[in-house]
């Protein structure tokens, strides 16, 4: 099977920026994957999932492989849980809806996150008080060099805030094949995140259900976050940075409105959206809503950078550099990108 040549990658990422792959192919199972890896062994390799956490700033003079491994199956169940396996190439939100329709609980707070199942453990996706690791059971991944399938349990994955071993220690070494989630048969609701409770109230929900929670999350996300099918983006471009208690106290003294949350280890997580909103390209101008050409900072959530149409990856990257510099100048806090840059 020979990959196609000189393919535009714009349709394959949620940012929709133009970039070309010298070779491009999709795989639906490990046989196809192994054959393609064998074919392209001498080329630099990029594996694409849903493309929702990726910014291409250049062409790829190598082989781009798109993961299209599909399938959802119930592996087994016990008194409290069902164990559901999904192919890494399944669309995340469709998978969440599938689980909700069967009344399997756990994923509802993670509704409407763009991307595919494979990205969920890769970056330990999280939203509205729930992180993937709370639902994760295990995964299978293809070891590129050894050409075999390896199983990773939760402790093997080294989950942290938007982190896993696949982004660090094992970067570029594995291709995620499928993920198994442990979901509750009897729902346990997590509506501690203030905005969910408020939204449920607005919706007039009398009796809580996982469907109602999912709908509340969808409404909140849709009101704040740009729809990647309309405006190119990759969700939060930066992580929320953590600082020491001393640094937090110092900042709070100088910026009493600063938004921060205590971490379990005594440090504080700062709302990067707030830091960015309070900084800008010049005196009295905020980054929030800023636009240069077709690259911009979203006007309802400053943590999200957007492509209004024809921005290049480099323009968006350049904007992110300037934002990081100005936040550092004002707060002496270094933002870290959440999005993978290629
Ligand atoms: N804020 C501002 N200005 C802004 C944006 C945010 O002041 O422009 C402040 C507000 O005070 C707000 C606080 O920041 O109360 C937190 O904002 P929000 O609830 O929107 O959450 P976030 O910390 O900006 C994180 C995740 C999101 C996730 C939400 C909800 C990261 C990097 N991002 O955003 O995840 O949906 O919480 O749980 O942790 C993603 O990773 O792509 C993503 C969208």
């Amino acid at each position: 099977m020979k990959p196609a040549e000189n393919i535009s990658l714009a349709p394959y990422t949620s940012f929709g920026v133009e970039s070309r792959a010298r070779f491009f192919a999709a795989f639906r199972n490990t046989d196809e994957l192994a054959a393609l890896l064998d074919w392209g062994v001498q080329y630099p390799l990029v594996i694409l999932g849903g493309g929702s956490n990726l910014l291409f700033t250049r062409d790829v003079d190598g082989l781009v492989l798109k993961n299209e491994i599909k399938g959802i199956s119930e592996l087994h169940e016990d008194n409290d849980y069902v164990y559901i396996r999904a192919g890494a190439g399944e669309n995340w939100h469709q998978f969440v809806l599938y689980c909700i329709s069967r009344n399997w609980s756990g994923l509802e707070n993670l509704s409407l996150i763009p991307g595919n199942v494979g990205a969920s453990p890769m970056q330990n996706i999280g939203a509205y008080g729930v992180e993937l690791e709370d639902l994760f059971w295990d995964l299978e991944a293809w070891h590129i060099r050894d050409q075999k399938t390896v199983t990773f349990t939760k402790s093997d994955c080294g989950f942290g805030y938007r982190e896993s071993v696949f982004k660090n220690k094992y970067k570029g070494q594995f291709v995620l094949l499928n993920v198994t989630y442990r979901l509750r048969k009897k729902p346990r609701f997590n509506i501690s995140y203030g905005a969910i409770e408020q939204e449920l109230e607005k919706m007039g929900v009398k009796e809580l259900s996982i469907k109602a929670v999912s709908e509340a999350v969808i409404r909140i996300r849709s009101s704040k976050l740009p729809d990647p099918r309309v405006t190119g983006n990759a969700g939060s471009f930066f992580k929320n940075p953590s600082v020491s208690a001393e640094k937090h106290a110092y900042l709070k003294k100088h910026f009493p409105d600063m938004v921060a949350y205590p971490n379990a280890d005594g440090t504080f997580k700062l709302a990067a959206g707030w830091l960015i909103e309070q900084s800008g390209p010049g005196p009295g101008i905020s980054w929030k809503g800023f636009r240069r050409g077709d690259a911009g900072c979203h006007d309802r959530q400053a943590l999200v950078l957007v492509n209004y149409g024809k921005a290049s990856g480099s323009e968006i990257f350049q904007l992110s550099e300037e934002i990081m510099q100005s936040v550092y100048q004002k707060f002496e806090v270094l933002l870290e990108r959440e999005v993978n840059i290629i």
Side-chain angles (χ1 to χ4, degrees), residues 214-273:
S214 166
E215 270 165 22
V217 168
I218 290 171
R219 285 167 62 126
I220 301 167
R221 288 190 77 95
S222 311
S223 71
K224 277 194 188 181
L225 299 167
D227 179 349
R229 287 169 305 184
V230 181
T231 309
N233 76 90
S236 302
F237 197 91
F238 303 99
K239 292 181 185 179
N240 285 325
S242 282
V243 297
S244 67
E246 295 76 43
K247 174 89 185 189
H248 170 258
Y250 171 83
L251 287 170
K252 199 75 192 160
K253 200 168 136 212
H254 291 84
F255 306 97
D257 297 338
M258 187 182 70
V259 184
Y261 318 91
N263 288 322
D265 63 0
T267 60
F268 284 81
K269 190 174 271 182
L270 310 182

Side-chain angles (χ1 to χ4, degrees), residues 18-61:
E18 189 46 47
S19 143
R20 299 191 88 76
R22 179 164 170 203
F23 300 109
F24 179 91
F27 58 94
R28 289 163 299 180
N29 51 51
T30 46
D31 286 348
E32 290 181 0
L33 171 63
L36 286 163
L37 290 172
D38 199 36
W39 180 90
V41 69
Q42 73 272 37
Y43 299 112
L45 175 69
V46 174
I47 304 287
L48 267 185
S52 61
N53 200 41
L54 197 59
L55 179 67
F56 283 111
T57 57
R58 58 176 172 83
D59 292 339
V60 180
D61 186 18

Side-chain angles (χ1 to χ4, degrees), residues 99-319:
C99 294
I100 290 170
S101 72
R102 279 155 185 78
N103 227 16
W104 298 328
S105 150
L107 300 175
E108 52 279 4
N109 293 45
L110 304 178
S111 296
L112 209 62
I113 294 184
N116 287 355
V117 160
S120 64
M122 181 77 83
Q123 51 165 5
N124 188 19
I125 57 172
Y128 307 106
V130 173
E131 280 188 326
L132 187 274
E133 63 179 300
D134 307 332
L135 295 318
F136 178 89
W137 186 248
D138 67 12
L139 65 78
E140 289 186 327
W142 184 256
H143 194 289
I144 294 174
R145 194 195 56 210
D146 294 353
Q147 301 185 32
K148 63 172 192 188
T149 300
V150 180
T151 300
F152 286 78
T153 62
K154 191 165 159 177
S155 58
D156 298 330
C157 290
F159 288 130
Y161 167 58
R162 295 295 196 277
E163 284 295 346
S164 76
V165 286
F166 304 105
K167 279 180 82 176
N168 299 301
K169 189 164 86 168
Y170 296 141
K171 193 170 180 184
Q173 295 183 35
F174 288 91
V175 178
L176 269 53
L177 302 173
N178 59 66
V179 184
T180 300
Y181 304 87
R182 190 180 74 157
L183 304 178
R184 284 184 184 277
K185 295 196 319 199
K186 254 201 222 129
R188 180 178 290 178
F189 301 108
N190 186 337
I191 54 165
S192 52
Y193 202 92
I196 296 192
E197 228 167 324
Q198 287 158 22
E199 198 62 43
L200 287 166
E201 216 162 283
K202 265 198 244 162
M203 288 160 60
V205 171
K206 300 269 175 321
E207 206 178 318
L208 215 47
S209 66
I210 55 175
K211 190 151 192 304
V213 174
S214 166
E215 270 165 22
V217 168
I218 290 171
R219 285 167 62 126
I220 301 167
R221 288 190 77 95
S222 311
S223 71
K224 277 194 188 181
L225 299 167
D227 179 349
R229 287 169 305 184
V230 181
T231 309
N233 76 90
S236 302
F237 197 91
F238 303 99
K239 292 181 185 179
N240 285 325
S242 282
V243 297
S244 67
E246 295 76 43
K247 174 89 185 189
H248 170 258
Y250 171 83
L251 287 170
K252 199 75 192 160
K253 200 168 136 212
H254 291 84
F255 306 97
D257 297 338
M258 187 182 70
V259 184
Y261 318 91
N263 288 322
D265 63 0
T267 60
F268 284 81
K269 190 174 271 182
L270 310 182
W274 187 88
L275 298 174
I276 296 169
E277 183 171 347
Q278 301 302 316
S279 314
I285 312 169
S286 168
W287 287 117
K288 195 171 184 171
F290 176 84
R291 175 171 177 169
R292 185 192 294 135
D294 274 351
C297 179
H298 190 50
D299 56 1
R300 274 171 285 149
Q301 169 45 293
L303 202 44
V304 177
L305 300 192
V306 289
N307 170 17
Y308 285 107
K310 291 209 172 339
S312 69
S314 314
E315 286 169 331
I316 292 167
F317 183 80
Q318 173 61 26
L319 178 60

